[in-house]
Every structure is written in structure tokens, then in C-alpha cells.
Amino acid sequence: MASTQARMTARARARAAQQKVLADRQRRDAANMASLTAFFTAAEQIDAAKLAMARALDDIRAREGTLAAAATLTQITTGEARKLLALLADADSSDDSDNGVAG
């Protein structure tokens, strides 16, 4: 009977240990979900800000006549300016595909 009691005690301890592992995992998963939500929300805000920057840069380029002049006014390199303007092309092609227009 002692060995039966020992097995039951061992199983109970194993169950308790497993429940603790599962509870810890659930806490980490919940915390990770909150952090991931914050991360992706911030990423969307960054993307929106970069798109706004690109539109403003494009407007300056249209008024000033060259990308170099627009880059100089915004105090960024011409390479950075090109990267920003590429976002406009990506956004335009994305808008076209969202509207069912072949781009």
C-alpha cells in the first residue's frame, strides 16, 4: 500500500508541476500578445509617418524642380529621398491592387 500511496503522491506532484508550467506559459503568451500588439501598432504608425514624409517630399520636389533640391531642403541625402519616394510608388501600386486595377 505504501507504493500505491507513493505513486499517487508522485502523480499529484507531477500534475502540479505541469499545471505550473502551463500557467507560466499562458502568462508569457498573454504578455507577448500585449507586446506584439504594441510593436505592430507602432510599426503601422511609423509606416504612416514615412508615407506622410514621402508625400511632403514629393510636393517639395514638384515645387523645387529636382529631388536634390528637395533633399537639401529637408536635410536628408538624395538616397534617403529616393527611398522615401519609393514608398509612394509602393503605396500607389498597393492602392491599385486593392481597387482591382492592374498595376
Side-chain angles (χ1 to χ4, degrees), residues 1-2 10-11 15 19 25 39 44-45 53 55 61 63 68 71-72 75 82 85-86 88 91 97:
M1 185 172 255
R11 284 188 189 139
R15 264 195 301 278
Q19 287 173 348
R25 177 79 251 169
F39 178 89
E44 288 173 2
Q45 292 170 346
M53 290 169 63
R55 287 185 180 117
R61 178 182 63 171
R63 285 188 294 273
T72 299
Q75 299 179 352
R82 282 191 188 101
L85 292 181
L88 289 179
S97 64

Side-chain angles (χ1 to χ4, degrees), residues 43-92:
E44 288 173 2
Q45 292 170 346
I46 290 169
D47 291 344
K50 284 184 177 181
L51 196 54
M53 290 169 63
R55 287 185 180 117
L57 181 66
D58 192 43
D59 291 343
I60 294 168
R61 178 182 63 171
R63 285 188 294 273
E64 292 300 316
T66 67
L67 183 59
T72 299
L73 282 173
T74 56
Q75 299 179 352
I76 61 175
T77 67
T78 305
E80 290 170 319
R82 282 191 188 101
K83 288 179 185 175
L84 280 172
L85 292 181
L87 296 175
L88 289 179
D90 292 345
D92 289 344

Side-chain angles (χ1 to χ4, degrees), residues 14-28:
R15 264 195 301 278
Q18 182 62 29
Q19 287 173 348
K20 182 182 180 323
V21 167
L22 292 174
D24 289 346
R25 177 79 251 169
Q26 285 179 324
R27 279 192 291 279
R28 285 194 312 275

